[in-house]
Amino acid sequence: MLGLKESPWIIHYDASSCNGCDIETLACLTPVFDVERLGVVNTGNPKHADIFLVTGAVNEQSFAVIRNLYTQMPEPKVVVAVGTCASSGGIFRECYNISGGVDTVIPVDVYVAGCAARPEAIIDGVVQALSVLEQKHRDMAAAGTRADQVLYLRAQKSDAPQILALQKAAYQSEAKVYGDDGLPALQQTLEELENEFDRRPNRETSYLGARGTQGDPEKDTDHIVFLKAVLQGKIIGAVRGFALDESAYLSRVIVHPYYQGRGIGRQLTEEIERAFPNAKRFEIFTGHRSERNLHQFRKLGYQEFKTEPFTPAITWVYLQKERK
Ligand code: SF4
């Protein structure tokens, strides 16, 4: 943490600023204020950044970019809304194409007031962000000792943005394993994920590889069931699945990279198995080079029964187990 605090890396994004706050932000980095002499580095790569500085209100075009940049930043990370527009929408708040401040898309940790925000205030915001960053780092480091405080709950459609962000963070390591950014989990959009909450699985349409016939709309388990693992109000893990023909099909056991190796994935799998009390058989799949997943599923009693090529680089391995 000391290294982070001594030399935080910042990424700056202009969401739709009039340029006033951008110029002040750049003034912080150029010779008059020169925060680089204090170790602050301005990076263009979100994967290297600790602090996300956003100027301007959120509009239709910047909405997706903000979420995309935020998702790519490693944990722990801090978001600073610079200026009135980024904090609340400012004078553009009522405009037809403005959804509001940055916190309409992602959680904001520090708000810097001003129109335009003064360089001194921006630097002060960065200093506050460092304290938040330190606290988050401590919280995450301590999470291993608080595994018993994780709650396993049914997720709702309103959780979709957090689950998608988590999914994209959790699958970064898989993309590296397969050398492929085109994994379905990384390509999924918010709209597609939200639709899954409403959709009943059937043979033709389910990407999960479901087989069977139309389910009963009155039965909860004939919908795709989402579970979430929550620690201190934050979703740190998720899993989904559905039941058809006395089998339950489970998918995407995801745990935030910072919380992996603490039994949360195992607990999620066990919880979702319990969500289908009438299932006599459980099925799950993962990529052939996802050693960690394969090991975890075998430990839970699953055995491989078929493989299926997906792309030249990825072969799905299907595992199953009978209910004891
Ligand atoms: S807060 Fe003022 S200076 Fe900053 S982007 Fe908005 S209108 Fe421009």
Side-chain angles (χ1 to χ4, degrees):
M1 181 61 212
L2 187 65
L4 270 185
K5 231 184 150 182
E6 297 288 315
S7 183
W9 285 39
I10 286 176
I11 185 165
H12 166 221
Y13 176 66
D14 168 6
S16 71
S17 158
C18 74
N19 248 12
C21 286
D22 294 317
I23 289 171
E24 302 300 343
T25 301
L26 291 177
C28 297
L29 299 159
T30 45
V32 175
F33 293 93
D34 197 11
V35 288
E36 286 196 354
R37 78 199 142 93
L38 304 173
V40 178
V41 175
N42 186 29
T43 177
N45 188 341
K47 292 177 182 169
H48 295 168
D50 312 302
I51 300 176
F52 190 14
L53 286 187
V54 190
T55 52
V58 179
N59 65 17
E60 288 285 322
Q61 292 194 335
S62 59
F63 194 96
V65 181
I66 291 172
R67 176 167 287 142
N68 190 339
L69 289 170
Y70 177 78
T71 305
Q72 290 184 69
M73 289 174 64
E75 293 282 348
K77 56 194 165 195
V78 179
V79 178
V80 182
V82 176
T84 312
C85 291
S87 299
S88 66
I91 56 169
F92 304 107
R93 189 184 176 96
E94 304 297 330
C95 289
Y96 70 96
N97 61 337
I98 296 291
S99 59
V102 180
D103 55 10
T104 57
V105 196
I106 52 173
V108 171
D109 302 285
V110 179
Y111 295 85
V112 177
C115 174
R118 289 182 307 132
E120 295 92 332
I122 298 171
I123 294 169
D124 188 50
V126 171
V127 171
Q128 286 182 50
L130 287 176
S131 304
V132 177
L133 192 65
E134 193 174 16
Q135 183 59 44
K136 284 190 177 184
H137 195 277
R138 268 202 298 267
D139 287 349
M140 288 182 159
T145 57
R146 294 204 300 253
D148 57 333
Q149 293 178 18
V150 178
L151 302 174
Y152 298 88
L153 308 167
R154 186 71 66 97
Q156 308 300 327
K157 194 173 176 179
S158 56
D159 294 318
Q162 268 199 75
I163 292 176
L164 188 64
L166 171 69
Q167 177 173 303
K168 298 207 171 183
Y171 271 86
Q172 294 303 325
S173 56
E174 293 288 286
K176 210 179 281 177
V177 167
Y178 295 99
D180 185 355
D181 284 334
L183 291 171
L186 289 173
Q187 294 300 316
Q188 191 169 36
T189 65
L190 180 60
E191 192 182 358
E192 287 166 352
L193 182 56
E194 285 175 340
N195 287 342
E196 278 186 32
F197 279 85
D198 300 327
R199 209 176 66 201
R200 280 187 294 124
N202 66 40
R203 189 195 305 270
E204 283 76 29
T205 58
S206 174
Y207 79 97
L208 293 170
R211 44 197 74 70
T213 54
Q214 292 290 323
D216 177 351
E218 298 304 317
K219 278 170 59 184
D220 197 31
T221 51
D222 281 347
H223 289 80
I224 296 176
V225 173
F226 283 74
L227 295 186
K228 60 184 177 181
V230 181
L231 181 64
Q232 295 185 326
K234 185 180 170 189
I235 299 179
I236 58 167
V239 63
R240 66 199 77 170
F242 60 86
L244 275 177
D245 299 343
E246 299 188 335
S247 288
Y249 299 88
L250 316 180
S251 174
R252 293 190 185 158
V253 185
I254 48 175
V255 178
H256 191 282
Y258 218 97
Y259 298 94
Q260 289 174 1
R262 291 164 183 174
I264 295 166
R266 176 184 52 73
Q267 189 69 29
L268 275 167
T269 312
E270 289 176 351
E271 293 288 338
I272 198 152
E273 287 173 2
R274 277 194 276 277
F276 300 109
N278 299 323
K280 295 185 174 154
R281 169 183 170 276
F282 299 97
E283 184 177 315
I284 202 162
F285 71 94
T286 187
H288 69 294
R289 286 166 64 190
S290 304
E291 293 297 338
R292 193 184 182 122
N293 292 347
L294 288 166
H295 175 69
Q296 179 80 6
F297 297 147
R298 287 183 195 124
K299 261 175 69 179
L300 284 164
Y302 287 83
Q303 291 179 335
E304 295 161 33
F305 70 98
K306 73 168 181 181
T307 56
E308 204 170 86
F310 177 62
T311 67
I314 307 171
T315 297
W316 293 138
V317 179
Y318 289 81
L319 304 98
Q320 64 180 355
K321 81 171 182 185
E322 305 293 328
R323 185 187 287 281
K324 287 190 178 139

